[in-house]
Amino acid sequence: MSRSNTSPSGQPAPTQSPLARRSALAASLSGLLGRGLGSRVAKVASTASATMAADSALAQSGNGRIIVGFSAGGALDLLARQVAEGFGQRLGKPYIVENKLGAAGRIAIDAGRSAKPDGDTLLICPQGPLTLFPHVFNNLRYDPSRDLSLIARLTVFDVAIGIGPASGTDSLARFLAWARANPSKANYGSSGAGTLLHFSGVALAQGSGIPMTHVPYKGAAPAVADLMAGAVPMVVAPMSDMLENHRAGRLKIVAICSAQRTPLAPEVPTLKEAGIDVEVPGWYALCGPAGMTPALQKTIHQAAAHLMDQPAVKDRMLRLGMQSAVLDPQQTAQAQQRELRMWAPMVKASGFTPED
């Protein structure tokens, strides 16, 4: 016999909120503990109570904010707005997105780390400020391992290698042969000096054994425009910034720096498939100020994981050129530490002079 979701009076039972369900769970576990089920139940009850307290504190505080260091309308901003909308429903409080521009995202990081660790202020940023900038900037005002609470990796994106008409080639192998034969013309553009994209090009040059000169631009758009015009022969940029022109035949994406091919352009090989042992995955992280409690981190992480697992959200992320790929706080910290170690020798070997 099926059971209907009704009260004893025959009326539909009210739907419980996530907070109410956790409260009921904590009460049930406390009752079990009182009947002598021991320390294991005590530990579970304590965890449930801590999570409930974190939920309650979030719900009772005012509006939250999610800080991003880039302009409105870009992929990172649209990701943040998706998260803000989802958190408003999942965490029981509204979040707004604040765009704090400048210094390649460092101003946003500084604003995020200076806030109270109560969950009201969060930050979404690419991994560059978390893993590369300590090796690039002399006067970085924050320590990414000490001054931030890593909550989740949210999405991954593909760093792409695009070529235009300047080299007269149509594959990575042919382009590298051309670059070797024309060292004075072997240049590549990116959205700025000291960025993940700049050093992805450095990694390609080191991995292929072919020196290439970096040409910094103020953003990906002017770099891609010059690529198509033949002013620069190669550009390193997020896949999303070149995909439309790749599909239209105005440029060609000849490789990506990811571990595996992307569903956005499955015909494009990885650098490793092309025989170059380089892997630079791009990713966006959700962070808060240092000092957030584990229970609060868990609550926000669970909300993020639930949101990013929704089919509609996954589909929208793909349209923005990224894929949902959530990691928990510990896994995100491990990814951060791996890349901190990876970039140190690469930046040093490149001869790049750290900026202020």
Side-chain angles (χ1 to χ4, degrees):
M1 180 181 297
S2 63
R3 297 176 60 188
S4 62
N5 186 27
T6 58
S7 67
S9 65
Q11 298 299 316
T15 301
Q16 287 185 312
S17 69
L19 178 58
R21 287 195 295 272
R22 289 195 181 103
S23 299
L25 173 61
S28 297
L29 289 171
S30 297
L32 289 172
L33 178 60
R35 292 197 290 273
L37 291 186
S39 61
R40 290 181 62 190
V41 175
K43 182 177 180 180
V44 175
S46 175
T47 300
S49 296
T51 303
M52 181 187 69
D55 288 356
S56 180
L58 272 176
Q60 291 175 12
S61 61
N63 290 356
R65 60 177 181 156
I66 298 176
I67 300 173
V68 296
F70 298 89
S71 58
L76 179 56
D77 173 75
L78 295 173
L79 168 62
R81 294 181 190 280
Q82 181 72 70
V83 172
E85 179 183 345
F87 279 10
Q89 300 168 359
R90 190 74 180 174
L91 297 177
K93 63 179 295 176
Y95 277 84
I96 60 171
V97 174
E98 287 189 9
N99 301 89
K100 291 188 176 292
L101 312 183
R106 287 173 287 160
I107 290 174
I109 296 278
D110 203 46
R113 75 174 181 89
S114 302
K116 293 180 180 180
D118 56 8
D120 281 356
T121 298
L122 303 173
L123 172 76
I124 298 180
C125 64
Q127 86 263 37
L130 304 177
T131 65
L132 177 60
F133 284 8
H135 308 301
V136 171
F137 295 100
N138 280 322
N139 298 316
L140 200 62
R141 295 177 57 183
Y142 65 90
D143 182 331
S145 300
R146 186 189 63 211
D147 294 339
L148 296 169
S149 296
L150 301 180
I151 298 170
R153 184 188 74 180
L154 295 173
T155 63
V156 295
F157 63 91
D158 299 297
V159 175
I161 311 297
I163 61 174
S167 67
T169 62
D170 61 357
S171 71
L172 181 62
R174 292 188 179 96
F175 174 83
L176 292 176
W178 173 87
R180 190 185 297 278
N182 298 272
S184 64
K185 299 179 182 179
N187 306 320
Y188 73 96
S190 83
S191 57
T195 62
L196 172 73
L197 303 167
H198 169 195
F199 280 98
S200 296
V202 169
L204 171 60
Q206 292 181 0
S208 64
I210 300 174
M212 286 186 269
T213 301
H214 177 241
V215 180
Y217 286 82
K218 293 183 178 180
V224 172
D226 267 8
L227 177 68
M228 293 187 293
V232 65
M234 186 184 95
V235 162
V236 183
M239 167 75 79
S240 57
D241 288 324
M242 294 194 287
L243 187 58
E244 182 178 346
N245 289 308
H246 167 77
R247 289 171 172 166
R250 290 185 284 267
L251 58 84
K252 186 169 184 179
I253 298 173
V254 292
I256 58 173
C257 303
S258 303
Q260 57 190 17
R261 296 194 183 203
T262 172
L264 293 169
E267 74 280 4
V268 176
T270 67
L271 283 177
K272 287 192 173 182
E273 286 181 290
I276 300 172
D277 189 19
V278 169
E279 183 181 322
V280 185
W283 46 276
Y284 293 121
L286 174 66
C287 312
M292 293 179 71
T293 65
L296 182 56
Q297 284 181 275
K298 181 179 179 181
T299 292
I300 299 174
H301 169 265
Q302 287 177 336
H306 174 82
L307 171 68
M308 302 308 297
D309 194 45
Q310 301 304 303
V313 174
K314 287 182 175 182
D315 182 64
R316 190 180 187 205
M317 293 302 102
L318 275 177
R319 294 199 303 273
L320 292 174
M322 63 186 89
Q323 298 178 64
S324 297
V326 176
L327 295 181
D328 66 29
Q330 292 74 28
Q331 294 168 326
T332 305
Q334 289 168 2
Q336 178 196 40
Q337 294 305 311
R338 280 196 304 270
E339 291 197 19
L340 278 167
R341 293 190 296 269
M342 177 189 78
W343 287 120
M346 195 175 298
V347 173
K348 184 176 180 179
S350 74
F352 179 76
T353 302
E355 300 183 355
D356 291 336

